[in-house]
Amino acid sequence: MAFARTCSVALVGVEGVLVEVQADLEPGVATFTLVGLPDKSLVESRDRVRAAVVNSGAEWPQKKLTVGLSPASVPKGGSGFDLAVACAVLGAAERIDPRELADVMMIGELGLDGSVRPVRGVLPAVLAAADAGYRQVVVPEQTVSEAALVPDMAVLGVRSLRQLIAVLTDDPVPEEETPHTDGRPDPLLAGLAVPGAGLGAAALGGGRSVDLSEVAGQAAARRALEVAAAGRHHIFFKGPPGAGKTMLAERLPGLLPPLTPKESLEATAVHSVAGVLPPGQPLVARPPYCAPHHSASMASLVGGGTGLPRPGAVSLAHHGVLFLDEAAECSGRVLDALRQPLESGQVVVARAQGMMRMPARILLVLAANPCPCGRHGMTGDGCECRPSSIRRYRARLSGPLLDRVDLRVTVEPVARSELLAADQAAESTATVAARVLAARERAAARFADTPWLTNSEVPGYELRTRWKVAPGALRRAEGDMERGLLSARGLDRVLRVAWTVADLAGRDRPGAEDVDWALELRTGISRGAPLAGFAG
């Protein structure tokens, strides 16, 4: 029987689905039929595979050839099936022993000359193969380091189909030229996410490290940024242009602790599917930083596209920071689409070809001007915006969205004395990050027997019943609820922030000053709370 099978993986969002690639040869007119719900890019693999096999020195079978991709109900696309299809065909033609193919997972695109090229999603594909019991995987040589992140998996990296044929037939492996590609199939997407670089700094797109000590003044905003990092609370900066909102947001990733091994694999899987893993960096070890332009579309922000959706910026920032500068210039529909991932930590995108779930546990940073011209409320030259324009501008940040943002900070213009003070020593990123890490450890110890890691994840019911604040600490918060200034969800978020403030100060539970400052950060109304435990 002229039949052979091997295995590959179809990506559905950021999860892999095992696909059995079967090849059958029958007497008849030489044809090549590909079945199993392939998309157009996969149908085109017939010509790529045929040319690659012939140019690799193997004979193409002159019979009726049928290649099936099972399960047929799962949509399949992309060029990552080329290598598995070619080997299945050669196994059916008895050029390769079919028994050598049965327990091997293969992923890779074939060039017409037989070269093997990298594809997106190698890590989630290998993870899916490992979960299914496979222990051998063949990938393009450029993605070996990415596939090797999966434990107990034998990884073979090949440069060409000729090399793979030689390995499977125990022939001498031919030498091939070193591939010139950098391993990123989608170079135009490489600027969407920038992983942080080191504990004390965050790396921007140009490779320059930034530090919190470079921010002049803004003591209150710096302290709010520290609270956001310690408890993973979403934060909104409002202030005139040039006050330092973007500088503060860019330095937030450097304050976050390094990712745990599990978080690193999850973030790397998303970046691999999107094709934005930097060359030579197979593992995302630092919290990602993603700052899309305010004109970004719905699909680019939350995920989507034609056919099966692809990850958007909110998923690329998984376990990291999503910064929306000029947030009031964004589309209202796009901003409101963030409400679901902020609550659930994931994005659910439904399309005609299927539904996809993508992780999106992010720390959201919003920044906006007080009005279109940015001068509303400033001294000197007054704002010239009409009241109707200001209302429309602010209305794009809807109440339900802002209700999910724990910290709301007004960033005032930097005073001349603060900007020009050469002897003013501001705290560095490393110093603040050490306090953030200590606060995270206090919270993790408190939640040791629970599924939560940070204060922002704890349900309000647990905070009100299991972890109570000091007696009398909620006096002002209760008054705000009676006056309608604070909702039930708002009170829960105030309690979460108060616990983070207490963790940073080294207290066992929040007191009245902690709750009052959390209220101030929530409502923007000064409560006169001392900032105990924080350096200037």
Side-chain angles (χ1 to χ4, degrees), residues 218 240-243 378 411-415 418:
Q218 305 299 356
M378 294 180 62
V411 183
E412 302 291 348
V414 180
E418 293 177 324

Side-chain angles (χ1 to χ4, degrees), residues 174-345:
E175 290 291 334
E176 300 285 358
E177 294 183 2
T178 302
H180 297 293
T181 178
D182 61 1
R184 290 179 297 184
D186 294 311
L188 293 179
L189 299 178
L192 283 179
V194 182
L199 182 63
L204 299 181
R208 183 182 69 86
S209 294
V210 295
D211 196 272
L212 193 59
S213 61
E214 300 170 349
V215 180
Q218 305 299 356
R222 289 165 58 97
R223 291 160 181 161
L225 198 71
E226 183 176 344
V227 173
R232 202 160 68 180
H233 303 287
H234 308 306
I235 187 169
F236 172 42
F237 290 125
K238 182 178 73 172
K245 302 185 296 294
T246 302
M247 287 187 67
L248 290 164
E250 289 173 346
R251 284 146 181 83
L252 180 55
L255 303 181
L256 301 177
L259 300 181
T260 64
K262 179 182 178 182
E263 292 171 342
S264 292
L265 286 178
E266 291 178 0
T268 302
V270 176
H271 285 66
S272 177
V273 170
V276 296
L277 278 177
Q281 185 178 327
L283 183 67
V284 178
R286 292 291 307 164
Y289 173 79
C290 195
H293 193 261
H294 62 261
S295 62
S297 65
M298 178 84 74
S300 66
L301 188 64
V302 301
T306 58
L308 284 175
R310 293 178 59 182
V314 70
S315 294
L316 290 171
H318 182 51
H319 291 312
V321 176
L322 176 65
F323 175 47
L324 296 183
D325 198 5
E326 304 295 344
E329 298 287 353
C330 297
S331 165
R333 291 181 59 252
V334 173
L335 289 174
D336 284 338
L338 295 173
R339 288 152 58 178
Q340 180 205 30
L342 291 182
E343 287 289 331
S344 63

Side-chain angles (χ1 to χ4, degrees), residues 219-229 233-238 402-411 480 486 490 493-502 504 513-531 534:
R222 289 165 58 97
R223 291 160 181 161
L225 198 71
E226 183 176 344
V227 173
H233 303 287
H234 308 306
I235 187 169
F236 172 42
F237 290 125
K238 182 178 73 172
L402 290 180
D403 195 42
R404 291 164 169 82
V405 178
D406 297 342
L407 313 177
R408 307 171 191 178
V409 182
T410 299
V411 183
D480 282 359
L486 196 66
R493 293 184 176 274
V494 166
L495 290 175
R496 294 171 182 172
V497 175
W499 271 103
T500 300
V501 174
L504 284 167
E513 65 274 17
D514 301 319
V515 176
D516 288 348
W517 194 42
L519 272 172
E520 182 175 332
L521 289 172
R522 174 76 181 178
T523 62
I525 302 174
S526 177
R527 311 290 169 145
L531 304 182
F534 291 87

Side-chain angles (χ1 to χ4, degrees), residues 121-137:
V122 169
L123 177 59
V126 179
L127 285 171
D131 292 341
Y134 285 82
R135 291 296 175 262
Q136 301 179 77
V137 58

Side-chain angles (χ1 to χ4, degrees), residues 27 38 45 82 100 190 285 336 442:
S45 69
D82 289 2
E100 298 290 334
D336 284 338
R442 290 178 65 88

Side-chain angles (χ1 to χ4, degrees), residues 405-460:
V405 178
D406 297 342
L407 313 177
R408 307 171 191 178
V409 182
T410 299
V411 183
E412 302 291 348
V414 180
R416 178 183 61 84
S417 58
E418 293 177 324
L419 186 63
L420 300 180
D423 57 344
Q424 184 177 359
E427 283 190 317
S428 67
T429 294
T431 301
V432 179
R435 286 203 301 268
V436 169
L437 182 59
R440 287 279 187 107
E441 290 173 349
R442 290 178 65 88
R446 185 167 61 249
F447 305 137
D449 58 344
T450 71
W452 313 301
L453 295 175
T454 60
N455 292 314
S456 63
E457 304 171 34
V458 185

